[in-house]
Amino acid sequence: MKDSMESLGIAPIINAAGSVTHLSASPVAAGIAQAMAAAAQSSIDIADAQAHASGIIAELTGADAGIVTSGASAGLLLGAAACLAGLDAGAMDRLPDTSGMRNEFIVPRSHRNSYDHAVRAAGGRFVEAGVADRIVGVGVRDTEGWELEGAITERTAGFFYVARPDSRPALPEVAVIARRNRLPLLVDAAAELPPKGNLRRFIDEGADLVVFSGGKAIGGPMASGILCGRRSLIVSALLQQLDLDFEFSSWQPPASLIDKHELKCVPRNGIGRSCKVGKEQIVGLLLALETFAATPDAVREERLTLVAQSLLEALRTVPDLQARVVADEENRGVPRVEIKAAGHDAQEVANRLRAGIPSVRLDASRARAGVLLLIPTCLSSADAVPIARAFARALT
Ligand SMILES: *Cc1c(COP(=O)(O)O)cnc(C)c1O
């Protein structure tokens, strides 16, 4: 397989930067790759497969229902579209035109980020609430619940929240406000795994819709993700994602998820049709999710620690390098190797590693402080020696 990739002129890299999208997220495990290849060579009914996926996702997240998406970003677009249109086929058909509709998502100002474009792409408009004083040295406060509640108008479609370890206000507080006002709460938790307990946490804390990336820690296909939450919203999201080229009389949606009689017609292909998922994504994501959920966090941490140790071991042979294993800042059990190269410009070292063959990519976000980081998520112990050799070359 690697050979056929190289015949296309696409060279594999050594990814010591973690499961980042621009470096193709996490490699999938061999068993999952085989199952995806088998799926690719078969035919399935996509709606039925999504209904089946919903059962598995519901069991592992505690949500009513869930679907496989083509990424967390697609999950945000579909989740926002569900909040905007509900089960109204006319509204689904109009998106992203939301003129005259409830189309505002209230968001704590500090939660705005580049990925929220997906909510705007569905037709949502953001209404930012509060001020993040805590960013300033003397400030302690972020947006508060009363500010979110005060932003509600007859144009409000829902709340948008980005789950990070230091997100404020706390999610349960926002969930109480959303429920009290009968508004849906859409949560971006794309990169909040591990710990695996977070699969259930945001639903437990009262979110109506939660989005996870499939290609990050779950280890699913790069172009996969999960949208889970309240059944009616998930049905809306799925209807806006599926290809729906049917007459109402002959349409047979999966009865375990979609009650045909809740709808008076077959919706037209919706805004999510352009982020469809393939059978390979559905099969790969579900298998990866089952494996992720069945693996204790300690086992994952142990594997990553062993990889970090072998990196450390191999790097000992490189003169001028100081390396040590450090915990990640958020204490998620993803240890990393911190490297300092005395007498060398760290960014220049990173550039040389990148230009080498094979190209080695690492986390250079702290290069200005003279620190390079090797993140073991996408590595195995077999990468340690090639990485040490690449450092030896880059430093001479
Ligand atoms: C990675 C990420 C996304 C996008 O995830 P994809 O699965 O690549 O679409 C969205 N939001 C946040 C906070 C992320 O970290």
Side-chain angles (χ1 to χ4, degrees):
M1 279 307 176
K2 273 197 179 145
D3 291 349
S4 46
M5 217 160 78
E6 275 166 67
S7 79
L8 297 170
I10 301 171
I13 59 167
I14 296 181
N15 178 11
S19 57
V20 291
T21 296
H22 69 98
L23 298 178
S24 71
S26 300
V28 300
I32 293 172
Q34 277 160 15
M36 288 175 69
Q41 293 168 299
S42 320
S43 299
I44 62 173
D45 182 310
I46 293 288
D48 287 347
Q50 284 283 30
H52 200 72
S54 179
I56 294 172
I57 294 168
E59 191 183 316
L60 296 177
T61 61
D64 299 343
I67 54 172
V68 182
T69 67
S70 52
S73 180
L76 293 178
L77 185 145
L78 291 165
C83 296
L84 290 164
L87 293 179
D88 178 338
M92 289 180 190
D93 192 40
R94 277 183 48 200
L95 296 186
D97 174 7
T98 53
S99 48
M101 289 165 60
R102 287 170 167 263
N103 64 357
E104 293 179 354
F105 286 86
I106 299 170
V107 57
R109 194 177 308 273
S110 60
H111 294 215
R112 288 300 312 276
N113 69 88
S114 306
Y115 296 110
D116 69 30
H117 197 137
V119 173
R120 291 183 282 132
R125 306 264 181 284
F126 281 115
V127 172
E128 296 177 11
V131 175
D133 269 333
R134 69 184 162 122
I135 309 302
V136 192
V138 290
V140 294
R141 299 198 292 169
D142 204 308
T143 298
E144 297 185 343
W146 60 272
E147 292 172 305
L148 291 174
E149 195 155 24
I152 297 172
T153 69
E154 72 286 350
R155 309 273 300 150
T156 307
F159 287 96
F160 179 66
Y161 187 98
V162 180
R164 296 283 305 144
D166 59 349
S167 292
R168 301 283 178 278
L171 183 60
E173 189 184 342
V174 181
V176 166
I177 294 165
R179 197 128 307 173
R180 181 155 70 215
N181 292 281
R182 296 174 185 282
L183 289 165
L185 168 57
L186 169 61
V187 174
D188 180 354
E192 297 316 291
L193 304 169
K196 72 173 182 141
N198 278 1
L199 278 175
R200 309 187 88 91
R201 175 171 160 204
F202 311 113
I203 292 289
D204 281 349
E205 290 183 347
D208 295 292
L209 286 171
V210 180
V211 159
F212 294 106
S213 188
K216 293 177 180 169
I218 291 175
M222 179 190 173
S224 72
I226 296 169
L227 174 68
C228 61
R230 257 169 45 206
R231 184 185 159 275
S232 61
L233 291 168
I234 294 298
V235 169
S236 171
L238 178 59
L239 287 169
Q240 296 185 76
Q241 182 200 45
L242 289 174
D243 191 285
L244 292 176
D245 210 1
F246 300 101
E247 305 232 35
F248 191 70
S249 56
S250 59
W251 184 38
Q252 292 182 33
S256 64
L257 187 60
I258 300 175
D259 178 0
K260 180 175 168 178
H261 301 290
E262 277 181 337
L263 296 134
K264 293 177 196 68
C265 57
V266 185
R268 297 281 175 190
N269 284 352
I271 191 157
R273 176 63 180 80
S274 49
C275 37
K276 72 178 180 186
V277 275
K279 51 202 170 192
E280 310 85 357
Q281 275 79 40
I282 296 175
V283 168
L285 182 279
L286 292 176
L287 288 174
L289 177 63
E290 287 183 334
T291 306
F292 177 81
T295 308
D297 289 331
V299 170
R300 191 173 305 108
E301 181 168 3
E302 205 172 310
R303 185 189 80 75
L304 295 175
T305 304
L306 283 176
V307 176
Q309 296 291 359
S310 36
L311 288 167
L312 205 60
E313 196 72 17
L315 289 166
R316 285 224 174 88
T317 61
V318 184
D320 293 346
L321 270 195
Q322 263 181 287
R324 59 178 187 135
V325 177
V326 295
D328 59 300
E329 281 156 22
E330 294 167 356
N331 260 312
R332 291 173 191 256
V334 185
R336 50 211 51 204
V337 179
E338 188 186 87
I339 293 172
K340 292 181 186 165
H344 295 269
D345 177 71
Q347 186 60 56
E348 179 57 27
V349 174
N351 294 348
R352 287 195 198 151
L353 288 166
R354 179 190 169 119
I357 299 173
S359 176
V360 174
R361 309 298 182 90
L362 42 63
D363 180 341
S365 59
R366 286 170 55 203
R368 269 196 220 125
V371 174
L372 297 174
L373 295 169
L374 301 175
I375 319 279
T377 320
C378 302
L379 298 175
S380 74
S381 297
D383 294 311
V385 168
I387 288 176
R389 285 202 189 117
F391 267 99
R393 280 195 303 272
L395 295 181
T396 50

